[in-house]
Amino acid sequence: MKQHNTLTLKQFIIRSIGAYFITLVIFCLFIFKVIPGCSLLQSKLVLFLLTVLGFGLIYFEKEDRRNHLSIALNVFMPFGIYTTIAYMQLLPIPLGLVWIILALLDLIYIGFYFYKVKRRNYNSLLEKSQMVIGAASLLSLIIVLSFTLFGSSIIQSSTQVSNNTDTYMRQYDEKSLKNLHHWSKLTRKEKLNTLQTICNNERDYLGIPFRIKVGAGSGLTHSYAQYNNKSKEITFEISQLDHASSTTLLEALLHSTYHAYEYALVDSYDTMSGDYNKLLDYRTIATYKKEFATKVTNKAVNYNQINESNAKAYAAEALQDYQIKFKHTKK
């Protein structure tokens, strides 16, 4: 950190507040997650206290650090520490490695400093530790943002994502049906593996030409699961994966898989000759295309779209088939 001011006190405060609120908006939109075991209010209180601590540090230090690097550290530190606390159970390996590696580098530097330097400046050591925490915080934010922003799941199934095979009857995997009987006893990975197997079978039945991955993440505020056509992935809300029933999650899987089918129909529609894509049966696909091209934030409007109502109807009908088969499966 530079040991001189490049900003006046007024500039430093104004820019700090501006940077904080910009980061806060991005954080709330893409990263914020309730800390495991805490309520929403408790989680917000933790973030607030970390922010106060982060900004408070600059006023307990010398007044010759009013610069953009100080602003960055004081903004990144509270958000990065909170993100690490909230996501450590979901991303223990990458987040753990970031903090362990940087902490070890900091300890090595401190050891080298005490070994080499006779006239020690403890304020300088504090600066270096702040920079380490700031760097770890920034990397933590980048890691979590890469999962949440680009539609990739935090946890994925280990079951193989199969290629499409031609089937005209819905296939039922006996092991998956048995797992549905003992859903509450399964681990997250076992649940995702079961859902992936069922997804593979549904994909074959619907004739979807591309492979679909099943995973779990956070931030799905209005649904149990959602389909991302860019990544060809169905992502379940991880808290729902832990607590929702097998029936609820199975219906969400069937619903999301049908959305993948609708996107596949739109892809095929775009390759047709203009002389044929105006046929009556293809008009629904044209409606899908228009709906997918328009981002809808209003939940009520989205619920009444044709693609949504058709996916809901398919999921309800398919769920009945699974429940009939489910009843005749030995536990």
Side-chain angles (χ1 to χ4, degrees):
M1 189 185 298
K2 293 179 181 180
Q3 287 295 314
H4 59 82
N5 294 333
T6 57
L7 300 170
T8 65
L9 178 60
K10 182 179 180 180
Q11 289 175 327
F12 178 77
I13 293 174
I14 292 173
R15 295 187 187 190
S16 294
I17 293 173
Y20 169 75
F21 278 107
I22 291 172
T23 308
L24 178 64
V25 170
I26 297 172
F27 186 80
C28 291
L29 285 174
F30 302 109
I31 300 180
F32 181 82
K33 177 184 179 299
V34 173
I35 296 173
C38 294
S39 66
L40 177 61
L41 180 60
Q42 289 171 331
S43 298
K44 289 181 178 179
L45 180 60
V46 171
L47 180 59
F48 174 75
L49 292 175
L50 286 171
T51 302
V52 171
L53 178 62
F55 275 96
L57 285 175
I58 198 68
Y59 297 104
F60 289 102
E61 297 171 351
K62 291 183 178 179
E63 295 183 354
D64 56 359
R65 296 178 187 169
R66 295 194 298 265
N67 49 58
H68 289 96
L69 182 56
S70 291
I71 292 174
L73 288 176
N74 284 287
V75 170
F76 287 141
M77 282 172 58
F79 289 111
I81 293 171
Y82 180 90
T83 299
T84 303
I85 295 171
Y87 282 88
M88 182 57 77
Q89 290 184 6
L90 303 180
L91 296 166
I93 296 177
L95 292 179
L97 284 175
V98 163
W99 286 91
I100 289 172
I101 290 172
L102 287 174
L104 287 174
L105 290 175
D106 189 37
L107 289 173
I108 291 172
Y109 171 80
I110 292 173
F112 183 79
Y113 182 87
F114 275 97
Y115 178 73
K116 285 288 186 181
V117 179
K118 300 295 184 182
R119 300 179 64 182
R120 295 160 187 165
N121 183 350
Y122 293 100
N123 204 48
S124 176
L125 286 178
L126 177 61
E127 286 180 35
K128 294 298 185 295
S129 296
Q130 278 185 266
M131 292 192 70
V132 168
I133 296 173
S137 298
L138 176 59
L139 287 173
S140 298
L141 290 169
I142 292 172
I143 289 170
V144 174
L145 193 62
S146 67
F147 282 99
T148 58
L149 186 60
F150 300 109
S152 180
S153 299
I154 293 175
I155 304 173
Q156 292 188 344
S157 71
S158 56
T159 298
Q160 184 178 0
V161 182
S162 67
N163 291 315
N164 179 270
T165 56
D166 294 328
T167 60
Y168 297 95
M169 300 286 289
R170 179 174 281 115
Q171 302 296 310
Y172 300 95
D173 179 74
E174 187 174 350
K175 182 181 177 181
S176 297
L177 291 173
K178 288 182 178 179
N179 283 344
L180 295 175
H181 277 293
H182 308 285
W183 194 252
S184 61
K185 298 179 181 178
L186 302 181
T187 64
R188 286 176 180 168
K189 203 73 171 178
E190 289 171 336
K191 290 178 180 179
L192 288 175
N193 290 344
T194 300
L195 293 168
Q196 180 70 70
T197 300
I198 295 173
C199 179
N200 292 344
N201 292 337
E202 281 298 304
R203 181 179 155 273
D204 289 344
Y205 174 67
L206 291 168
I208 300 171
F210 47 80
R211 305 201 299 175
I212 305 170
K213 296 180 293 182
V214 173
S218 63
L220 281 66
T221 55
H222 300 303
S223 60
Y224 291 97
Q226 68 180 15
Y227 172 69
N228 186 317
N229 193 51
K230 290 182 179 179
S231 61
K232 301 293 188 287
E233 185 170 15
I234 295 173
T235 304
F236 285 84
E237 170 58 48
I238 201 160
S239 60
Q240 299 295 348
L241 187 68
D242 289 337
H243 304 297
S245 67
S246 60
T247 301
T248 299
L249 295 179
L250 176 58
E251 186 172 14
L253 174 72
L254 297 169
H255 184 113
S256 297
T257 306
Y258 195 81
H259 279 316
Y261 170 70
E262 291 170 334
Y263 273 102
L265 287 175
V266 171
D267 291 342
S268 67
Y269 176 84
D270 288 338
T271 64
M272 289 181 185
S273 166
D275 295 331
Y276 289 95
N277 62 18
K278 294 182 179 63
L279 290 169
L280 178 61
D281 283 350
Y282 296 139
R283 290 177 190 172
T284 300
I285 305 175
T287 303
Y288 290 160
K289 183 176 180 179
K290 290 178 183 178
E291 291 176 343
F292 291 150
T294 305
K295 186 175 181 180
V296 179
T297 56
N298 187 298
K299 187 178 179 182
V301 173
N302 179 66
Y303 187 82
N304 290 317
Q305 287 187 320
I306 298 298
N307 77 83
E308 192 65 27
S309 59
N310 286 355
K312 190 174 186 298
Y314 175 83
E317 182 181 348
L319 182 63
Q320 286 184 348
D321 290 345
Y322 274 97
Q323 288 176 327
I324 292 170
K325 195 72 176 178
F326 181 75
K327 289 179 181 177
H328 294 88
T329 302
K330 294 180 179 179
K331 296 183 180 181

